[in-house]
Amino acid sequence: MVYPALIASVSDHAQPAWRANALGTYRFWRDLGYAAGALAAGVLADALGLQTTVLTAAALTALSGLLAARWITERPGQ
């Protein structure tokens, strides 16, 4: 349910002239994250176990939310 909101956020913050490029870049990094996350989770689960992998995923998710809250702000006039 979060992906439509994230795409809308990228679209809202991109100028119309480069909006398509911004959305393409966002989708590229998002999809690359799926592949990298799956590989990293598999390696981590083999090395340290499933519980550590799940806790690491939870910590990384929380960290990304905190970074987004810190860096993503409303544009003036909105």
Side-chain angles (χ1 to χ4, degrees):
M1 291 176 49
V2 73
Y3 293 120
L6 291 174
I7 288 176
S9 176
V10 171
S11 181
D12 288 346
H13 286 82
Q15 296 295 323
W18 54 275
R19 185 169 291 148
N21 194 17
L23 289 172
T25 302
Y26 163 76
R27 288 180 176 145
F28 171 79
W29 286 108
R30 180 196 66 194
D31 294 346
L32 184 64
Y34 291 148
L39 290 172
V43 169
L44 195 60
D46 281 345
L48 301 175
L50 187 57
Q51 183 175 358
T52 301
T53 303
V54 171
L55 292 174
T56 301
L60 289 172
T61 301
L63 178 63
S64 70
L66 292 171
L67 290 173
R70 172 76 171 107
W71 290 336
I72 299 174
T73 60
E74 290 277 333
R75 286 188 359 216
Q78 286 189 348

